[in-house]
Amino acid sequence: AVAGDLAQPRLGLSAADWALCAGVDVIVHNGALVHWVYPYARLRAANVLSTLEALRLAAEGRAKRLVFVSSTSALDTDHYVQLGCVSESDDLEGSRTGLMSGYGQSKWVAERLLMHARRCGWPVAIVRPGYVLGHSRSGATNADDFLWRLAKGCAELQLAPVMANPVNVCPVDYVADVVAFAASQSRALDHMVYHVFNRAGFRFHDIFELMRDYGYPMVDAEYMRWRSVLMESTLEDRDSALYPLLHFVLDDLPTSTKSPDLDDKHTRGLLEGSGVECPDVKSLFGLYLAYLVEAGFLDAPSGPATRALPKLSVEVQGLAQRSGHVKEFSGQTVGVDSYIWLYKGAFSCASDLALNIPTTKYIGHFLSRARMLRHHGIDPLFVFDGGPLPSKLHTELERQRNRQERRQAAIKLWNQSKRKQAYELFQRCVEVTPAMAKAVIEVLGREGFRCLVAPYEADAQL
């Protein structure tokens, strides 16, 4: 193995290593910086420019086949959801606009570059998977994944959101088989794109049903109630598996996780006669749970069960997890994404903000946590979002419109003395304004805390 860097010219390789790699027969570009919050600008080097470098490597010396492992994130727009089923021959024009994540945008640009290369005669193929779960025989899986964090977070709350959206999940070894066939079979160049799709069907509610079957007690809850309980839990400083994805979860998850079906005719043709098929993930779920329990990511189930977790056939090393007390960072400077704390504070006084009642509760919430860090000898550097990304202006306007509609509906319920229903809607229309951020920054400044306002989003600055 030769270490490199996707974000660097020549993939971070020395001239000698580059020349060595140029002698291969096939290139599989499966590297990416995967992040659901980073903007496109932060991901461009690792995800787009690396694709150009892979093309350059494929052109070095004799021409070589290039197989690019993309993502169905490049299809995450209303256009394709409404279309219902996406053909492997689709030109991606339906997601030229409307992609919300920087990751999806970076995959879209990389794919379009490769489509242009293909039109110029280059031997290029794209493999496009959705969610990739663990190995179908060992159960080994990546715990730092949205689906498993969602599963663990619901197990912690003992509460699951009612979500029936289909979700395209495939075992990693099936995805690897498709990539291997795309790289090794001459007929793979008959087509450009190969969808990796689980035709057995799987929905979000299957996650929670199966966890209950294996002894994880949880009850179903309407999404807004589930979200409110999650917020209350994090406000009380309980450690939640979903905390790193709080921004994503606080959005309208049943809407933002909608996805189209995928036509996988090309993939089925490529695998024909091989015996390779995508297994039903429901039949593997117990294996995955057993692995995650053995690895220490999940607690062992403690409730009544209709199924027993299977015995693993491999030894499992504990997953590397970062947990503990903040005092471990005593004497260090720690960057803080301030808008997480701002939103948590704003949720605690959502009705006051929506009804234009003067409040400083969100400032008190923020300040108590800042003082807590200082108490433990930590020097926090609070990083605030600046202006909205130009690429997300349409999204911001849409969210603003939705918040306003929810606020009007909530005020109507409030005036009808339906306070509980109103408060749930108030939480859905919470907006952290620049004026609120400025008020917090001023208070922090008076107490000697350091603050930084990023040009756009805080993540890249952190």
Side-chain angles (χ1 to χ4, degrees):
V2 178
D5 185 339
L6 291 175
Q8 297 300 318
R10 251 180 1 207
L11 303 174
L13 300 176
S14 67
D17 287 338
W18 179 267
L20 177 67
C21 293
V24 301
D25 296 314
V26 178
I27 297 170
V28 176
H29 182 17
N30 189 32
L33 176 55
V34 182
H35 200 287
W36 299 111
V37 179
Y38 280 170
Y40 171 81
R42 177 69 177 82
L43 300 169
R44 178 175 176 268
N47 296 356
V48 176
L49 300 187
S50 68
T51 306
L52 290 175
E53 292 299 303
L55 269 173
R56 192 156 73 90
L57 184 61
E60 195 86 8
R62 57 188 173 82
K64 294 170 281 294
R65 183 186 308 191
L66 173 61
V67 178
F68 177 67
V69 182
S70 186
S71 167
T72 54
S73 295
L75 304 173
D76 286 344
T77 64
D78 289 342
H79 169 85
Y80 288 118
V81 170
Q82 293 165 9
L83 188 64
C85 186
V86 183
S87 165
E88 288 161 305
S89 301
D90 190 275
D91 60 6
L92 292 186
E93 280 298 312
S95 50
R96 178 179 286 276
T97 60
L99 285 171
M100 300 305 180
S101 74
Y103 178 70
Q105 293 165 7
S106 70
K107 285 297 187 181
W108 186 91
V109 175
E111 284 202 32
R112 293 284 291 194
L113 288 170
L114 293 173
M115 289 178 180
H116 179 73
R118 173 82 177 212
R119 288 194 296 271
C120 293
W122 213 259
V124 173
I126 295 171
V127 175
R128 195 185 284 154
Y131 286 101
V132 181
L133 292 187
H135 198 280
S136 65
R137 290 186 293 278
S138 70
T141 192
N142 172 29
D144 191 18
D145 172 89
F146 170 67
L147 292 182
W148 290 127
R149 284 192 174 275
L150 178 63
K152 182 176 180 179
C154 291
E156 292 169 345
L157 294 174
Q158 296 192 0
L159 200 67
V162 175
M163 289 174 59
N165 292 347
V167 54
N168 179 29
V169 288
C170 298
V172 66
D173 43 319
Y174 175 70
V175 179
D177 282 337
V178 175
V179 173
F181 272 75
S184 63
Q185 301 299 308
S186 58
R187 66 178 183 271
L189 294 178
D190 292 345
H191 304 290
M192 174 75 183
V193 174
Y194 294 89
H195 280 156
V196 184
F197 184 62
N198 193 330
R199 300 174 68 83
F202 193 80
R203 294 178 180 272
F204 275 97
H205 65 63
D206 290 324
I207 297 174
F208 315 126
E209 286 291 338
L210 287 163
M211 292 191 74
R212 277 190 284 263
D213 288 350
Y214 285 103
Y216 288 93
M218 61 179 74
V219 297
D220 289 332
E222 188 270 330
Y223 173 72
M224 285 307 303
R225 177 170 175 264
W226 174 81
R227 196 182 80 161
S228 297
V229 172
L230 175 65
M231 277 304 306
E232 289 170 8
S233 174
T234 55
L235 283 170
E236 292 171 11
D237 287 333
R238 296 176 191 166
D239 192 14
S240 170
L242 287 169
Y243 183 81
L245 297 170
L246 201 57
H247 273 314
F248 185 51
V249 173
L250 291 181
D251 203 351
D252 187 356
L253 208 56
T255 300
S256 62
T257 54
K258 286 181 180 178
S259 61
D261 285 342
L262 304 178
D263 172 25
D264 64 343
K265 180 173 58 179
H266 295 170
T267 302
R268 285 183 284 119
L270 179 65
L271 299 177
E272 188 175 5
S274 68
V276 175
E277 293 183 354
C278 184
D280 185 347
V281 169
K282 294 176 189 175
S283 67
L284 301 174
F285 207 82
L287 179 66
Y288 295 147
L289 291 177
Y291 175 87
L292 292 169
V293 168
E294 189 67 23
F297 178 76
L298 285 176
D299 292 334
S302 58
T306 58
R307 308 188 197 192
L309 291 181
K311 298 291 185 182
L312 296 178
S313 59
V314 295
E315 183 178 348
V316 178
Q317 300 292 327
L319 295 171
Q321 298 186 66
R322 187 61 174 141
S323 61
H325 198 279
V326 292
K327 64 184 179 184
E328 294 177 20
F329 297 97
S330 179
Q332 300 182 46
T333 297
V334 174
V336 178
D337 185 342
S338 303
Y339 269 70
I340 290 284
W341 286 5
L342 262 172
Y343 266 103
K344 289 173 73 175
F347 268 82
S348 69
C349 54
S351 58
D352 290 345
L353 292 171
L355 295 169
N356 295 321
I357 298 172
T359 180
T360 58
K361 290 178 184 176
Y362 64 93
I363 298 176
H365 176 92
F366 199 111
L367 197 56
S368 67
R369 281 147 182 76
R371 288 168 175 165
M372 178 267 295
L373 294 180
R374 178 173 282 173
H375 171 75
H376 290 292
I378 297 168
D379 176 25
L381 176 57
F382 296 106
V383 185
F384 291 79
D385 290 354
L389 283 165
S391 61
K392 291 187 176 181
L393 184 58
H394 174 75
T395 305
E396 291 299 324
L397 291 173
E398 184 70 23
R399 287 177 176 170
Q400 183 69 36
R401 194 158 47 245
N402 290 338
R403 281 193 292 264
Q404 187 59 32
E405 289 174 0
R406 291 166 185 162
R407 180 175 177 271
Q408 291 171 355
I411 291 173
K412 185 176 180 180
L413 289 168
W414 186 271
N415 292 333
Q416 295 170 351
S417 298
K418 297 177 181 179
R419 299 301 167 88
K420 183 179 178 181
Q421 294 168 272
Y423 193 75
E424 288 182 351
L425 274 179
F426 283 143
Q427 287 191 324
R428 292 185 67 185
C429 65
V430 160
E431 179 183 11
V432 173
T433 65
M436 291 168 65
K438 182 173 182 287
V440 170
I441 290 170
E442 288 175 347
V443 171
L444 291 172
R446 287 198 292 271
E447 296 216 4
F449 290 105
R450 294 186 296 154
C451 300
L452 175 68
V453 179
Y456 294 113
E457 295 178 346
D459 303 87
Q461 208 72 25
L462 283 164

